[in-house]
Amino acid sequence: MRKIKHKLDSKGTKEKIIELFFEKHLKPTEIAKKLKIGMPYITKIIQKDSRYIREKETRRQENKEKNKTQKRIYAQKEEKRKKRKSKNIKNY
C-alpha cells in the first residue's frame, strides 16, 4: 500500500505560501485560490512568520494612501459633474 503525502504537510507548500504573501504581496484569498488551500491554513502559516506584523502594517498604510487618492479623484470628478450640470441648467 502506497502512502499519499498530504498536500498541506508539504514543507514546499508552506514556503510557497510565505513567498506569495511576503515577496509577491498576494492577498490570502488570492493564495487560497492559486494553491487550492483553505484560508485558515494560509492565515495560520502567515501569522507564524516574524515578518507578519510589519507586513500587515505596511499593507494597512498602502491601503490608506490608496483610499486617499481614490477619494481625491472622486471629489474632482464630482466637482466637474456639478459644473457641467450647472452650465446645462443655465443654458436651458
Side-chain angles (χ1 to χ4, degrees), residues 18-50:
I18 289 172
E19 175 191 346
L20 291 172
F21 185 77
F22 293 107
E23 295 172 19
K24 307 259 179 165
H25 302 288
L26 293 181
K27 295 177 185 177
T29 54
E30 295 168 335
I31 297 170
K33 287 178 186 176
K34 187 172 186 151
L35 299 179
K36 296 180 177 84
I37 298 174
M39 282 286 298
Y41 180 72
I42 291 170
T43 304
K44 179 180 164 185
I45 298 302
I46 291 169
Q47 288 177 345
K48 284 183 179 180
D49 195 285
S50 61

Side-chain angles (χ1 to χ4, degrees), residues 39-88:
M39 282 286 298
Y41 180 72
I42 291 170
T43 304
K44 179 180 164 185
I45 298 302
I46 291 169
Q47 288 177 345
K48 284 183 179 180
D49 195 285
S50 61
R51 300 171 284 179
Y52 176 70
I53 294 172
R54 187 173 50 244
E55 181 70 20
K56 187 176 174 181
E57 186 57 37
T58 301
R59 290 182 185 212
R60 183 178 290 135
Q61 289 299 326
E62 288 171 358
N63 285 332
K64 204 174 192 180
E65 292 300 319
K66 184 179 171 184
N67 286 338
K68 281 183 185 178
T69 304
Q70 292 299 324
K71 285 180 183 180
R72 196 174 317 118
I73 291 169
Y74 179 79
Q76 290 170 350
K77 287 181 180 180
E78 188 64 24
E79 189 64 34
K80 286 180 183 179
R81 280 187 224 120
K82 286 180 182 178
K83 285 180 182 179
R84 200 175 324 126
K85 191 174 182 179
S86 67
K87 282 183 182 180
N88 289 339

